Structure formats: structure tokens, C-alpha cells
Amino acid sequence: AWMDADFRRQLSARRERVEDAFEFEGRKVGRGSYGQVFKTKPRSCADAPAGDYALKQIEGSGLSMSACREIALLRELKHPNVISLKQVYLAHETRQIWLLFDYAEHDLWRMINFHASAKKCNSQVSLPPNFTKSIMHQILCGIHYLHSNWVLHRDLKPANILVMGATSPERGRVKIADLGLARLFHQPLTPLTEIDPVVVTFWYRAPELLLGARHYTKAIDLWAIGCIMAELITDKPLFYCKQEEDIKTSSPYNRDQLERIFSVMGFPSQQDWRDLPHLPKYGDLVRNFGTGQQYARFSLGRHMSRSFGMSETSPEFRLLSRLLAMDPLRRPSAREALEDRYFLEEPRPAADVFNGFDIPYGKRDFISDSSDNKDDLARQQQSQPVHASLQQYQQSHQQALLLQQQQQQLS
Ligand SMILES: Cc1ccc(-n2nc(C(C)(C)C)cc2NC(=O)NCCN2CCOCC2)cc1
């Protein structure tokens, strides 16, 4: 071995083991193709500050390409709205890699599902008037930081927008993360469904990607942020499209997803999107949709005003329509979006997106090894979790609230 055996023994004896520093038995909160995540607390002997941490055990063993990329990328990045990597543990015996992060109790996927379910049974949840504005402001700040460092996210969706919980010193702060799945391949053309049986969702994918654009761009991230803004306002995915089971298409062209986008946005004219005819899949588009006359009367303004009573002259709508420009060249940069009037007028965005309001969401459930966590699978599909019934969801939520209250009384 290249290293003196005695020196290796010394290093090994001194190396801090993750199981010695953290308690994580039975505290798994997430699992997917990327690995698994535990909610942990440092043991008294550890030198980590008290509080909750997320321990991600990377799938596979040894320094895989993705592990290398995640560590190399995260250790360079430091911004309040981007998840921060606290520590890396290399278990030499098992060649396991563990990443330590701050723990985020909430994420937009669970939060939006909670509001959607509450709406369905007419039990309104009170939220600050600047709730959407605060979340949007922090997402754009985080993405502006990433884009300034020439880091593209490529897979922005509600599940990847984490929010710190009540017990965190950063209560109500947005942290952009990437829980994996789309991370292994960078080219937009690689069929992700080959690496993971879980169907990937196209609801947040920009139209140019669906029409064969060969490279991710910053504008692709801004489109996804527009989709997230609409979903925060309406509690429904703007471009919701049923996922055919195990789509094996290797082409990026997804007719149903494009159909959904056109039925909300209208069909892009030559004036709207000059470069459209130069996209690789333009031929398929013409074959499937012709001149798009059937979408002539559709527009985002019509959709948002008819379905959600949103005024087309409101600053909120104007920013939304800028972000959802069909032509990527017409979408604002993150900085230009942050300078939009929407963020300058009252109520101003807050550092705590809950603005001191009680946080109504339950804590993350621990998942057992036996049962596949349908929530986790649904989250990866970014499709709505299939709750056997709303009552079941409510009951489990009520139980969670009750348990939380009992725990608070005990502590
Ligand atoms: C291969 C690879 C995978 C992920 C990343 N990646 N990229 C990001 C940016 C900076 C773009 C937001 C974040 C991560 N990793 C995680 O979020 N990791 C998850 C952290 N979470 C886990 C659950 O608990 C909170 C922290 C990079 C490369």
C-alpha cells in the first residue's frame, strides 16, 4: 500500500466515525436513487453544535462520479438560500460516504399538498399575505447566487425547495437543494427513466427542452421558477400532465406535456418565439399541432383570471408572465426578476416566509425499511401522493399535530 501501515493505523484510529458522532438508527426520512437521508442529532461527545442535522448516505460505495461532483460543488457554495454541506464522513471500512447537512423540516412539495388537501375539505389555513412573495424572493436570491457562479440547477421543482422549521435558528428560510434523481446525467436528452423506475415528471420542464434543446441554460431554471410561483398561488401544478407508466421514450419530445403547456399559454407565434423553427423537434411539433390554431384563444392571463380570479394587471401576474415567456431569450435573469416591481411594493418579502405565523405542517415521517414510502416515490414523480382518502391524510395529519402537541407538553 502506498501509505505506511503504521501511519494508516494511526489515521484510522483517529478518524471520527459517523455512527460515533450521530444518532440515526430508525430515523430515516428519505430514500431514492441518490441514497438515503436520516434526521439525526449529534451525540453529546460530538463537537457539532446542538440541533437537527440531515445525514445523507450516498448510494453505492467509494467516490462515485456523482458523489465527487456533489462534494466538489457543495463545498464551494455558501449562500443563505442554498443547502450547505457541513461535513463529509468517509467510512473507510465500508467505503461508504456520508454527507452532513442542516436539517430542513419542510419542503414546498409537502407544503403545497397540505394546502391543496385543506382546500378540498374547506378548512382554510391562515398564511401571511406575503407568503408567496417571500418564498419567490428567496428562491430567486438562491438561484441568482448559483447562476452567478455558473451553476445551473436543471431540476427545480417544489420537492427541491426546502424550508427550515420552527426549531431551526433559520426559521422559515428557503434552502434550494437537489434531492437527486435527475442529477446523474447532465445532457437533457438522457432518458432518466433508464436509471430509475420512478417516472420523472416533465411539469417544470421548459418548452425548449421538450422540443429538443441540447443544453440546459439559466432561462430553463427561470421557467421552472415560474411554474413554482403559479403552483404556490393556486396549489395546483400549472402544467400538470398525467404520466404514462414507464415512458421508455428516449426522445425529449413529450407531446402530452407540450399539449398541456399550449392549452394554458396558447400556441407560440413566429413573433412570440423567433427561434422556434430552429429547434430539433420543430418538425414533430408541426406534425402534431399544425399551426396551433386550436390554441388561439388560450393565454396565461385567461387561464389565471378564469381559474383563479387573478388580475392580468397585478404585479404578481406580470412577473409570472415574464418568467413563463415561451421564448427563453425573453425570460428575465434572476437579477432582473428580483428587481421586478412585485418585490418592491407592499407587503415586502420577509426573511421568515411564515412571518412568525404558526407553522401548520407536520414533521417529516420516519420511514421503515420494509414499506416503500409512497410519499417519497410520489415526491420523486412530483405527482400528487395517492392518499387512500382525504380523511386518511387528515387523520394522519391530525395525529401528527396531536403527537407534536403532546411532545411539546412533555418537553
Ligand atoms: C450528484 C449531485 C447531487 C446533488 C447535488 N446538489 N446540487 C445542489 C445545488 C447546489 C445545485 C442546489 C444541491 C445538491 N445536493 C443536495 O441538495 N443534496 C441533498 C441534501 N439534502 C438531503 C435531505 O436533507 C437536507 C439536505 C450535486 C451533485
Side-chain angles (χ1 to χ4, degrees):
W2 58 277
M3 207 197 279
D4 165 75
D6 184 45
F7 181 55
R8 271 166 76 94
R9 260 192 300 281
Q10 278 181 40
L11 273 189
S12 173
R14 268 208 305 271
R15 187 176 303 116
E16 196 186 17
R17 286 173 181 71
V18 70
E19 58 274 15
D20 299 342
F22 292 94
E23 165 62 47
F24 54 87
E25 276 308 304
R27 301 169 58 96
K28 193 184 296 184
V29 290
R31 181 188 43 242
S33 56
Y34 52 92
Q36 40 194 19
V37 179
F38 299 85
K39 176 180 180 179
T40 67
K41 285 186 185 309
R43 292 185 197 281
S44 45
C45 59
D47 61 359
D52 289 324
Y53 290 86
L55 252 187
K56 172 179 175 180
Q57 180 185 26
I58 291 194
E59 184 61 29
S61 74
L63 265 178
S64 65
M65 176 178 78
S66 58
C68 236
R69 178 171 150 66
E70 182 166 21
I71 295 168
L73 185 69
L74 287 176
R75 64 197 300 240
E76 300 304 320
L77 298 172
K78 183 172 173 49
H79 185 275
N81 299 122
V82 175
I83 198 74
S84 70
L85 176 62
K86 300 290 179 193
Q87 189 62 266
V88 178
Y89 292 93
L90 303 173
H92 280 224
E93 303 72 33
T94 59
R95 292 172 59 74
Q96 272 290 317
I97 298 177
W98 298 77
L99 304 184
L100 187 72
F101 297 91
D102 282 329
Y103 181 70
E105 194 66 70
H106 310 294
D107 60 72
L108 290 195
W109 182 78
R110 288 174 76 245
M111 290 161 61
I112 291 171
N113 277 325
F114 178 88
H115 293 292
S117 298
K119 251 186 205 170
K120 269 186 221 151
C121 46
N122 294 323
S123 60
Q124 283 309 319
V125 177
S126 65
L127 281 172
N130 58 351
F131 185 62
T132 295
K133 188 179 290 191
S134 304
I135 293 175
M136 282 301 293
H137 192 260
Q138 295 190 33
I139 294 175
L140 285 164
C141 285
I143 283 298
H144 175 240
Y145 170 78
L146 292 177
H147 286 179
S148 318
N149 288 283
W150 279 98
V151 174
L152 306 181
H153 191 290
R154 302 187 180 90
D155 191 29
L156 280 170
K157 57 188 176 184
N160 279 332
I161 308 295
L162 309 180
V163 181
M164 304 305 277
T167 57
S168 159
E170 299 179 279
R171 180 191 201 269
R173 181 172 286 172
V174 160
K175 300 277 183 186
I176 299 173
D178 186 338
L179 301 181
L181 196 66
R183 180 58 50 184
L184 299 181
F185 292 89
H186 300 301
Q187 290 71 27
L189 297 177
T190 316
L192 298 174
T193 49
E194 277 178 7
I195 48 166
D196 205 281
V198 169
V199 167
V200 178
T201 179
F202 296 113
W203 304 339
Y204 308 91
R205 288 170 82 81
E208 63 269 24
L209 276 180
L210 298 165
L211 290 167
R214 289 188 174 75
H215 303 289
Y216 284 97
T217 62
K218 297 176 182 179
I220 285 169
D221 282 340
L222 274 296
W223 172 274
I225 293 172
C227 297
I228 291 169
M229 180 176 182
E231 192 162 340
L232 282 168
I233 294 164
T234 66
D235 289 332
K236 288 182 174 155
L238 182 61
F239 301 121
Y240 173 80
C241 170
K242 69 184 182 335
Q243 317 277 330
E244 309 87 58
E245 284 316 306
D246 70 0
I247 28 173
K248 282 293 172 207
T249 58
S250 59
S251 117
Y253 184 84
N254 186 305
R255 175 179 178 167
D256 291 344
Q257 190 61 58
L258 283 164
E259 204 289 326
R260 172 65 187 163
I261 292 174
F262 299 145
S263 59
V264 171
M265 303 295 294
F267 197 82
S269 69
Q270 185 68 26
Q271 287 67 30
D272 294 333
W273 190 354
R274 202 170 49 79
D275 295 349
L276 177 58
H278 305 133
L279 281 169
K281 296 297 178 185
Y282 182 68
D284 296 69
L285 182 74
V286 172
R287 223 181 342 277
N288 289 152
F289 299 94
T291 56
Q293 276 318 311
Q294 64 273 40
Y295 302 102
R297 67 185 187 290
F298 296 138
S299 72
L300 181 63
R302 179 178 185 277
H303 178 83
M304 295 307 284
S305 57
R306 282 181 170 224
S307 319
F308 305 101
M310 193 177 196
S311 151
E312 293 187 46
T313 56
S314 67
E316 195 174 34
F317 175 77
R318 286 161 33 81
L319 174 60
L320 183 63
S321 61
R322 288 178 70 196
L323 292 167
L324 293 177
M326 293 291 274
D327 181 350
L329 300 177
R330 295 190 182 196
R331 286 176 218 143
S333 67
R335 176 192 295 282
E336 286 164 346
L338 283 167
E339 290 162 353
D340 189 280
R341 199 155 60 92
Y342 172 60
F343 294 114
L344 304 177
E345 63 158 30
E346 295 300 326
R348 306 297 299 273
D352 166 2
V353 302
F354 304 114
N355 220 3
F357 278 49
D358 284 347
I359 300 177
Y361 321 111
K363 292 187 176 183
R364 293 182 191 282
D365 305 325
F366 290 131
I367 50 183
S368 61
D369 266 325
S370 56
S371 73
D372 255 351
N373 182 328
K374 64 183 180 314
D375 249 15
D376 207 26
L377 287 178
R379 173 199 317 270
Q380 279 181 4
Q381 290 169 359
Q382 194 63 53
S383 61
Q384 309 317 319
V386 183
H387 289 296
S389 72
L390 203 54
Q391 283 65 31
Q392 183 194 2
Y393 179 85
Q394 283 298 93
Q395 279 156 14
S396 68
H397 178 65
Q398 294 311 337
Q399 280 160 9
L401 272 185
L402 203 65
L403 194 64
Q404 193 171 5
Q405 281 150 7
Q406 283 163 358
Q407 278 166 346
Q408 274 155 0
Q409 280 150 12
L410 287 177
S411 62

